[in-house]
mmCIF file of all heavy atoms in Angstrom:
data_model
loop_
_atom_site.group_PDB
_atom_site.id
_atom_site.type_symbol
_atom_site.label_atom_id
_atom_site.label_comp_id
_atom_site.label_asym_id
_atom_site.label_seq_id
_atom_site.Cartn_x
_atom_site.Cartn_y
_atom_site.Cartn_z
ATOM 1 N N ARG X 1425 -30.915 -59.829 -102.226
ATOM 2 C CA ARG X 1425 -30.300 -61.178 -102.016
ATOM 3 C C ARG X 1425 -29.953 -61.456 -100.653
ATOM 4 O O ARG X 1425 -30.200 -62.608 -100.145
ATOM 5 C CB ARG X 1425 -29.012 -61.227 -103.032
ATOM 6 C CG ARG X 1425 -28.482 -62.732 -103.159
ATOM 7 C CD ARG X 1425 -27.337 -62.716 -104.095
ATOM 8 N NE ARG X 1425 -27.731 -62.144 -105.254
ATOM 9 C CZ ARG X 1425 -26.878 -61.832 -106.298
ATOM 10 N NH1 ARG X 1425 -25.636 -61.831 -106.016
ATOM 11 N NH2 ARG X 1425 -27.333 -61.383 -107.409
ATOM 12 N N ASP X 1432 -34.183 -66.959 -95.030
ATOM 13 C CA ASP X 1432 -33.945 -68.375 -95.157
ATOM 14 C C ASP X 1432 -33.173 -68.910 -93.938
ATOM 15 O O ASP X 1432 -33.413 -69.998 -93.438
ATOM 16 C CB ASP X 1432 -33.251 -68.689 -96.466
ATOM 17 C CG ASP X 1432 -34.160 -68.599 -97.641
ATOM 18 O OD1 ASP X 1432 -35.356 -68.478 -97.525
ATOM 19 O OD2 ASP X 1432 -33.652 -68.587 -98.759
ATOM 20 N N LEU X 1482 -43.659 -76.209 -107.778
ATOM 21 C CA LEU X 1482 -43.115 -77.590 -107.408
ATOM 22 C C LEU X 1482 -42.860 -77.758 -106.003
ATOM 23 O O LEU X 1482 -43.112 -78.752 -105.434
ATOM 24 C CB LEU X 1482 -41.930 -77.869 -108.319
ATOM 25 C CG LEU X 1482 -42.222 -78.127 -109.835
ATOM 26 C CD1 LEU X 1482 -40.798 -78.468 -110.487
ATOM 27 C CD2 LEU X 1482 -43.159 -79.296 -110.041
ATOM 28 N N PHE X 1503 -48.645 -93.557 -85.469
ATOM 29 C CA PHE X 1503 -47.637 -92.583 -85.031
ATOM 30 C C PHE X 1503 -48.222 -91.317 -84.551
ATOM 31 O O PHE X 1503 -49.449 -91.087 -84.664
ATOM 32 C CB PHE X 1503 -46.858 -92.266 -86.417
ATOM 33 C CG PHE X 1503 -45.867 -93.367 -86.831
ATOM 34 C CD1 PHE X 1503 -45.424 -93.323 -88.060
ATOM 35 C CD2 PHE X 1503 -45.503 -94.392 -85.921
ATOM 36 C CE1 PHE X 1503 -44.555 -94.466 -88.433
ATOM 37 C CE2 PHE X 1503 -44.687 -95.446 -86.381
ATOM 38 C CZ PHE X 1503 -44.270 -95.451 -87.664
ATOM 39 N N ALA X 1520 -47.588 -69.194 -98.373
ATOM 40 C CA ALA X 1520 -47.533 -67.872 -98.437
ATOM 41 C C ALA X 1520 -46.645 -67.581 -99.757
ATOM 42 O O ALA X 1520 -46.968 -66.626 -100.532
ATOM 43 C CB ALA X 1520 -46.653 -67.253 -97.314
ATOM 44 N N ALA X 1525 -46.841 -65.219 -105.295
ATOM 45 C CA ALA X 1525 -46.206 -64.978 -106.593
ATOM 46 C C ALA X 1525 -46.747 -65.825 -107.712
ATOM 47 O O ALA X 1525 -46.608 -65.404 -108.937
ATOM 48 C CB ALA X 1525 -44.626 -65.377 -106.568
ATOM 49 N N SER X 1553 -56.852 -85.938 -78.055
ATOM 50 C CA SER X 1553 -56.926 -84.569 -77.545
ATOM 51 C C SER X 1553 -55.773 -83.733 -77.977
ATOM 52 O O SER X 1553 -55.433 -82.714 -77.395
ATOM 53 C CB SER X 1553 -56.916 -84.707 -75.935
ATOM 54 O OG SER X 1553 -55.730 -85.400 -75.559
ATOM 55 N N GLY X 1557 -54.350 -80.290 -84.804
ATOM 56 C CA GLY X 1557 -55.359 -79.658 -85.791
ATOM 57 C C GLY X 1557 -55.445 -78.106 -85.676
ATOM 58 O O GLY X 1557 -55.484 -77.475 -86.658
ATOM 59 N N VAL X 1573 -51.440 -60.576 -98.260
ATOM 60 C CA VAL X 1573 -50.884 -59.220 -98.062
ATOM 61 C C VAL X 1573 -49.672 -58.775 -98.929
ATOM 62 O O VAL X 1573 -49.757 -57.891 -99.696
ATOM 63 C CB VAL X 1573 -50.580 -59.033 -96.582
ATOM 64 C CG1 VAL X 1573 -49.811 -57.779 -96.365
ATOM 65 C CG2 VAL X 1573 -51.760 -59.133 -95.806
ATOM 66 N N ARG X 1587 -47.989 -46.249 -113.451
ATOM 67 C CA ARG X 1587 -48.548 -44.954 -113.487
ATOM 68 C C ARG X 1587 -47.414 -43.921 -113.711
ATOM 69 O O ARG X 1587 -47.455 -42.962 -114.380
ATOM 70 C CB ARG X 1587 -49.366 -44.570 -112.276
ATOM 71 C CG ARG X 1587 -49.813 -43.195 -112.166
ATOM 72 C CD ARG X 1587 -50.595 -42.978 -110.952
ATOM 73 N NE ARG X 1587 -49.842 -43.247 -109.791
ATOM 74 C CZ ARG X 1587 -48.932 -42.461 -109.242
ATOM 75 N NH1 ARG X 1587 -48.730 -41.254 -109.809
ATOM 76 N NH2 ARG X 1587 -48.239 -42.761 -108.098
ATOM 77 N N GLN X 1619 -41.745 -17.567 -150.233
ATOM 78 C CA GLN X 1619 -42.652 -17.303 -151.262
ATOM 79 C C GLN X 1619 -42.681 -15.693 -151.654
ATOM 80 O O GLN X 1619 -42.774 -15.340 -152.743
ATOM 81 C CB GLN X 1619 -44.135 -17.515 -150.864
ATOM 82 C CG GLN X 1619 -44.428 -19.058 -150.689
ATOM 83 C CD GLN X 1619 -45.761 -19.357 -150.263
ATOM 84 O OE1 GLN X 1619 -46.731 -19.265 -150.979
ATOM 85 N NE2 GLN X 1619 -45.940 -19.778 -149.032
ATOM 86 N N LEU X 1620 -42.504 -14.865 -150.644
ATOM 87 C CA LEU X 1620 -42.393 -13.469 -150.853
ATOM 88 C C LEU X 1620 -41.172 -13.023 -151.592
ATOM 89 O O LEU X 1620 -41.193 -12.415 -152.592
ATOM 90 C CB LEU X 1620 -42.410 -12.723 -149.596
ATOM 91 C CG LEU X 1620 -43.773 -12.790 -148.652
ATOM 92 C CD1 LEU X 1620 -43.571 -12.049 -147.411
ATOM 93 C CD2 LEU X 1620 -44.905 -12.219 -149.473
ATOM 94 N N VAL X 1641 -47.386 -28.943 -146.142
ATOM 95 C CA VAL X 1641 -46.983 -30.210 -145.438
ATOM 96 C C VAL X 1641 -46.635 -29.933 -144.028
ATOM 97 O O VAL X 1641 -47.050 -30.635 -143.075
ATOM 98 C CB VAL X 1641 -45.826 -30.862 -146.221
ATOM 99 C CG1 VAL X 1641 -45.269 -32.049 -145.429
ATOM 100 C CG2 VAL X 1641 -46.286 -31.334 -147.528
ATOM 101 N N GLU X 1671 -29.199 -23.931 -117.873
ATOM 102 C CA GLU X 1671 -29.305 -22.712 -117.277
ATOM 103 C C GLU X 1671 -30.173 -22.674 -116.118
ATOM 104 O O GLU X 1671 -29.955 -21.817 -115.140
ATOM 105 C CB GLU X 1671 -29.867 -21.603 -118.361
ATOM 106 C CG GLU X 1671 -31.205 -21.860 -118.763
ATOM 107 C CD GLU X 1671 -31.313 -22.700 -120.070
ATOM 108 O OE1 GLU X 1671 -30.275 -23.273 -120.365
ATOM 109 O OE2 GLU X 1671 -32.381 -22.816 -120.614
ATOM 110 N N GLU X 1694 -19.542 -28.746 -119.153
ATOM 111 C CA GLU X 1694 -20.193 -28.591 -120.426
ATOM 112 C C GLU X 1694 -21.249 -27.457 -120.410
ATOM 113 O O GLU X 1694 -21.842 -27.292 -119.349
ATOM 114 C CB GLU X 1694 -20.879 -29.949 -120.811
ATOM 115 C CG GLU X 1694 -20.007 -31.039 -121.500
ATOM 116 C CD GLU X 1694 -19.455 -30.589 -122.739
ATOM 117 O OE1 GLU X 1694 -20.317 -30.257 -123.648
ATOM 118 O OE2 GLU X 1694 -18.358 -30.596 -123.195
ATOM 119 N N ARG X 1754 -33.607 -46.768 -100.325
ATOM 120 C CA ARG X 1754 -34.611 -46.972 -101.319
ATOM 121 C C ARG X 1754 -34.987 -45.724 -102.069
ATOM 122 O O ARG X 1754 -35.480 -44.787 -101.410
ATOM 123 C CB ARG X 1754 -35.809 -47.745 -100.797
ATOM 124 C CG ARG X 1754 -35.455 -48.938 -100.159
ATOM 125 C CD ARG X 1754 -36.730 -49.657 -99.608
ATOM 126 N NE ARG X 1754 -37.667 -49.903 -100.703
ATOM 127 C CZ ARG X 1754 -38.828 -50.431 -100.554
ATOM 128 N NH1 ARG X 1754 -39.313 -50.647 -99.249
ATOM 129 N NH2 ARG X 1754 -39.701 -50.638 -101.564
ATOM 130 N N PRO X 1790 -26.427 -40.432 -124.532
ATOM 131 C CA PRO X 1790 -25.884 -40.253 -125.908
ATOM 132 C C PRO X 1790 -26.419 -39.017 -126.656
ATOM 133 O O PRO X 1790 -27.591 -38.787 -126.558
ATOM 134 C CB PRO X 1790 -26.083 -41.645 -126.564
ATOM 135 C CG PRO X 1790 -27.385 -42.129 -125.961
ATOM 136 C CD PRO X 1790 -27.384 -41.617 -124.459
#
Side-chain angles (χ1 to χ4, degrees):
R1425 189 179 303 165
D1432 287 344
L1482 286 180
F1503 289 157
S1553 58
V1573 169
R1587 175 181 57 80
Q1619 292 181 73
L1620 295 176
V1641 172
E1671 60 274 10
E1694 279 290 311
R1754 299 183 60 186

